[in-house]
Amino acid sequence: MNSKPYAIGIDIGGTNTVFGIVDRTGKVIAKGSIKTKGYSDFNEYLDRLYVALSSLIKENNAEGRIAGIGIGAPGANYHTGEIVNAANLNWGENLPIASLVSEKFGGLPVTVTNDANAATMGEMVYGAAKGMKDFMMITLGTGVGSGVVSNGQLVYGHDGLAGELGHVVVDRNGRKCGCGRKGCLETYCSSTGVVRTAREFLQRDSRPSLLRKLDPETITSKDVYDAAMEGDELAKEVFDFTGDMLGAALADFTAFSSPEAFILFGGLMRSGDLLMNPLKRSFDENLLFIYKEKPEILVSSLNEDDGAVLGASALAW
């Protein structure tokens, strides 16, 4: 196995799956992607993944040179190799993804972990958290994921499912979440949370807004961003609200492990200061005094796609 120079990293997101061939230095040799959504049956999804990934391997002369496959996926359990009822996937409970993918790819060893933990590993080895022993990674995409590193080790917990900070409840009577509960952080601070906030603001507020030109059912977080960048007050308030919620949550999380830094990663970070300014203000206002001015809030230094792919591929070594 050690003689094989490449590993496969697969990042399964709620919307898209990104995969890559990675060498031992962390260089992504080639990448590809397929849609995650639209496959209610996992075997159909796996067939599509196999075709796309096999083609990438062949195109890059990597056949017979793959040491193993690492997978980052929502609800993936490092200890058991299963996806456990992921809120943003529809593949049922306790899906044995490691064994199924291994069988599909001719017995290659497959290791899985939570998608956010995979991104955390990539950040720790190659990115903004390099050299840090205590930090939290927060991924802001279709949902909110997280990885917690304490004393240089990823925190998995006794069952392999620790660190689900996106499902910490921030409002007991709040929005319904895909996990079945109400008021989880990801219902407010994900890209889908931004859209839900925009729809609520449009319903309760009669002010003119560029967003009123759009079908409320098809609004995206990018639409909200574009409107805010054009000076739309309602759209800017959506980001203020989102940043306030996330900043307060990070302040609460600080009390858990006193991290050196929070590393923020994912599509929502493209909104830049629209999100970061209210986030940092709320974080400072809500932080317990003994932690004041200690944790940094940093944006991931990795390419949005590469971070999770690199982290996942590290599992294969």
Side-chain angles (χ1 to χ4, degrees):
M1 179 173 174
N2 290 335
S3 65
K4 296 182 179 180
Y6 301 130
I8 299 296
I10 302 173
D11 172 40
I12 301 177
T15 303
N16 297 304
T17 294
V18 181
F19 47 85
I21 303 170
V22 183
D23 71 14
R24 290 181 179 274
T25 69
K27 181 181 179 182
V28 179
I29 305 300
K31 286 194 302 184
S33 67
I34 63 171
K35 292 288 185 184
T36 308
K37 280 189 172 180
Y39 296 94
S40 57
D41 180 79
F42 176 75
N43 289 320
E44 291 180 13
Y45 164 84
L46 183 54
D47 287 343
R48 180 71 188 92
L49 177 65
Y50 178 77
V51 169
L53 188 48
S54 295
S55 177
L56 191 72
I57 291 170
K58 186 174 182 179
E59 289 168 6
N60 289 276
N61 299 314
E63 294 165 295
R65 306 175 72 193
I66 305 298
I69 298 173
I71 300 174
N77 188 320
Y78 175 79
H79 295 319
T80 68
E82 297 175 323
I83 290 180
V84 184
N85 198 23
N88 292 313
L89 301 174
N90 297 302
W91 296 332
E93 297 182 11
N94 302 325
L95 177 76
I97 186 170
S99 61
L100 291 173
V101 173
S102 178
E103 181 181 352
K104 190 74 170 178
F105 284 87
L108 276 175
V110 176
T111 307
V112 305
T113 192
N114 180 282
D115 53 340
N117 284 342
T120 303
M121 293 177 69
E123 203 68 50
M124 184 164 54
V125 175
Y126 306 109
K130 192 171 184 178
M132 292 185 187
K133 290 188 175 181
D134 295 272
F135 71 96
M136 293 188 194
M137 180 87 166
I138 308 293
T139 63
L140 305 170
T142 306
V144 173
S146 58
V148 179
V149 172
S150 182
N151 198 29
Q153 299 292 319
L154 263 169
V155 176
Y156 282 110
H158 84 281
D159 60 357
L161 299 174
E164 287 287 348
L165 300 182
H167 291 286
V168 170
V169 173
V170 294
D171 183 349
R172 291 290 168 190
N173 298 307
R175 297 170 180 171
K176 187 173 182 180
C177 181
C179 75
R181 301 185 303 158
K182 290 184 178 180
C184 292
L185 181 65
E186 81 168 26
T187 66
Y188 297 97
C189 298
S190 59
S191 57
T192 49
V194 166
V195 170
R196 291 174 77 169
T197 300
R199 288 172 182 159
E200 288 178 9
F201 281 20
L202 287 168
Q203 285 181 342
R204 79 181 191 195
D205 196 317
S206 60
R207 280 180 297 167
S209 171
L210 294 170
L211 297 174
R212 297 192 188 281
K213 299 177 182 179
L214 305 174
D215 180 350
E217 296 304 312
T218 62
I219 286 176
T220 67
S221 58
K222 186 179 184 304
D223 292 331
V224 184
Y225 168 79
D226 289 343
M229 291 301 292
E230 291 188 41
D232 188 285
E233 289 301 320
L234 187 145
K236 287 194 287 186
E237 287 179 18
V238 170
F239 282 101
D240 286 342
F241 174 83
T242 306
D244 284 345
M245 295 288 282
L246 185 56
L250 297 188
D252 288 343
F253 298 161
T254 302
F256 167 65
S257 64
S258 187
E260 179 179 348
F262 290 95
I263 315 294
L264 305 182
F265 177 83
L268 202 55
M269 295 315 300
R270 296 174 191 162
S271 52
D273 287 344
L274 278 173
L275 180 68
M276 287 295 285
N277 287 341
L279 189 164
K280 289 183 175 180
R281 181 175 61 249
S282 176
F283 180 72
D284 291 339
E285 289 174 355
N286 288 283
L287 197 61
L288 185 64
F289 72 94
I290 60 174
Y291 303 117
K292 290 289 185 182
E293 299 181 1
K294 291 181 182 177
E296 293 185 272
I297 298 179
L298 306 173
V299 177
S300 171
S301 62
L302 299 180
N303 177 283
E304 185 181 332
D305 292 334
D306 287 356
V309 168
L310 285 169
S313 70
L315 293 168
W317 303 123

